Amino acid sequence: MPLSSKHLLGLYDTPVEDIRLILDTAKTFREVLERPIKKVPTLQGQTVLNLFFEASTRTKLSFELAEKRLSADVVNFSKSGSSVQKGETFKDTVNNIISMKVDIIVVRHESAGVPQFLTRFTNAKIINAGDGRHEHPTQALLDIYSIEEKIGSVKGKKICIVGDIAHSRVALSNIFALKKLGAEVSVCGPLTMMPVNIEELGVKIYSDINKAIAENDVLNVLRIQLEREAGSSIPDLREYREYFGINAERIEKNNKDILILHPGPINRGVELSSDVADGPYQIILNQVTNGVAVRMAILYLLGTQN
Ligand code: NCD
């Protein structure tokens, strides 16, 4: 069964059947990652371009490993050190790279809509690896995979996304996918970090972190996006930690069964204290491992269909 689209631009437009197909396929690749030889010949002969205009550690390495483990040829572009710094436009840069014939483009960019824009002037398949504050579909899929691996289907589960919702593409992709899969989704954070009309997405809003911990099965904790002017939405980081920071004491007082996720990178001591970031309630590094399997699934499904 193929995916319904040749691109993965976001989860808002992705049917629930496609989301399930990706998650199911990822299970097979998760097993491949446990083998001594973690490589399969699936994408032999295909070329994947990782087009990264914005900083990334996990996402970029995870895609690159996924591509190599599927035996694709991989080329990497990073904005720093490229001719963009000599003044070349986005379109000129991309047209030049595309002329070298690539089959799949994984793109991260600080502007929302760039993955969609790329579909207009290339025949390559496009995977969104994070566009501005818009979507980050592969992160949400690996989050959901990791939750289900730990506590079973997200259907009917109460999942709260905590923190800087307004600046977060991870939040939006999670909300879209989790709602489609039947989870009860909520958000918690300072009102200055809530997008206007967020309740129209069908999510409950918490302003009290203790209540959010007490009433949910899962917290997906986001980073304060300091590089996206998030600093001006809160008086200071210490105050943020006082009101919304997750620490072991809060968890032990309110809900010892809670599962904590974080997409990384963590601002240690701000949204998560180290006793939680390294403690028994979190699955942060499982998320990273699963990310490779989920990205292999997406690359495989898109790469082997027309
Ligand atoms: C996220 C991103 O870049 O959107 N990180 C990631 O992909 N693992 C979240 C973040 O930067 O806070």
Side-chain angles (χ1 to χ4, degrees):
M1 201 175 53
L3 291 172
S4 61
S5 167
K6 74 178 250 198
H7 310 293
L8 181 67
L9 303 176
L11 298 178
Y12 179 79
D13 283 325
T14 302
V16 67
E17 295 76 20
D18 285 9
I19 293 176
R20 270 284 158 229
L21 177 60
I22 293 168
L23 294 171
D24 288 345
T25 310
K27 279 191 199 138
T28 317
F29 288 113
R30 185 67 187 77
E31 282 159 27
V32 172
L33 297 184
E34 295 302 324
R35 295 184 196 158
I37 294 172
K38 300 171 183 57
K39 201 161 170 146
V40 289
T42 323
L43 291 190
Q44 220 159 43
Q46 296 213 31
T47 306
V48 185
L49 162 66
N50 297 315
L51 188 61
F52 277 66
F53 285 86
E54 216 187 46
S56 173
T57 304
R58 270 153 296 269
T59 307
K60 191 165 178 222
L61 285 180
S62 178
F63 265 111
E64 194 172 339
L65 269 178
E67 292 149 8
K68 289 183 168 159
R69 286 171 178 176
L70 292 170
S71 306
D73 292 321
V74 180
V75 278
N76 290 306
F77 169 92
S78 310
K79 183 175 162 187
S80 63
S82 78
S83 291
V84 173
Q85 295 186 326
K86 299 181 188 165
E88 190 170 47
T89 67
F90 172 77
K91 202 167 171 186
D92 282 339
T93 300
V94 173
N95 270 330
N96 275 276
I97 304 171
I98 290 168
S99 305
M100 302 178 201
K101 305 283 179 207
V102 296
D103 302 294
I104 300 176
I105 301 176
V106 175
V107 60
R108 166 169 289 198
H109 199 281
E110 64 272 15
S111 300
V114 162
Q116 169 79 42
F117 179 61
L118 273 179
T119 64
R120 291 202 230 146
F121 59 97
T122 159
N123 287 325
K125 293 160 182 170
I126 309 295
I127 300 175
N128 182 359
D131 61 330
R133 304 175 188 183
H134 177 226
E135 283 223 42
H136 191 352
T138 62
Q139 180 67 46
L141 290 166
L142 77 88
D143 291 345
I144 294 168
Y145 183 95
S146 304
I147 296 170
E148 296 202 325
E149 182 182 60
K150 195 80 188 168
I151 60 170
S153 172
V154 293
K155 192 166 185 206
K157 295 279 185 336
K158 294 194 167 93
I159 300 173
C160 182
I161 304 165
V162 182
D164 186 4
I165 313 294
H167 296 91
S168 174
R169 49 197 177 207
V170 178
L172 275 186
S173 288
N174 261 281
I175 293 170
F176 297 144
L178 285 167
K179 296 280 300 174
K180 288 182 196 201
L181 294 168
E184 275 185 49
V185 188
S186 57
V187 291
C188 176
L191 278 179
T192 48
M193 289 184 163
M194 288 294 156
V196 265
N197 302 335
I198 177 90
E199 60 283 354
E200 284 173 17
L201 297 178
V203 298
K204 178 174 169 172
I205 304 175
Y206 288 97
S207 51
D208 178 352
I209 188 66
N210 293 309
K211 206 164 169 216
I213 296 172
E215 293 182 4
N216 283 279
D217 302 302
V218 178
L219 300 187
N220 196 345
V221 185
L222 304 174
R223 183 175 65 91
I224 306 296
Q225 307 263 315
L226 293 169
E227 78 282 19
R228 290 187 220 281
E229 297 123 39
S232 56
S233 315
I234 45 170
D236 68 42
L237 292 177
R238 200 172 49 88
E239 186 165 326
Y240 181 85
R241 183 184 61 207
E242 283 298 305
Y243 284 94
F244 294 99
I246 320 271
N247 54 45
E249 194 189 327
R250 281 199 159 131
I251 293 180
E252 273 145 32
K253 221 158 74 194
N254 293 290
N255 179 4
K256 287 186 183 163
D257 294 323
I258 198 94
L259 186 67
I260 305 284
L261 283 82
H262 192 301
I266 302 170
N267 291 314
R268 265 178 198 265
V270 183
E271 69 265 2
L272 284 186
S273 62
S274 280
D275 55 10
V276 176
D278 307 319
Y281 306 104
Q282 54 79 30
I283 52 165
I284 298 168
L285 295 178
N286 303 33
Q287 288 173 265
V288 178
T289 308
N290 293 334
V292 179
V294 168
R295 291 179 174 117
M296 283 174 86
I298 294 161
L299 287 158
Y300 159 76
L301 288 165
L302 291 178
T304 52
Q305 74 185 41
N306 295 321

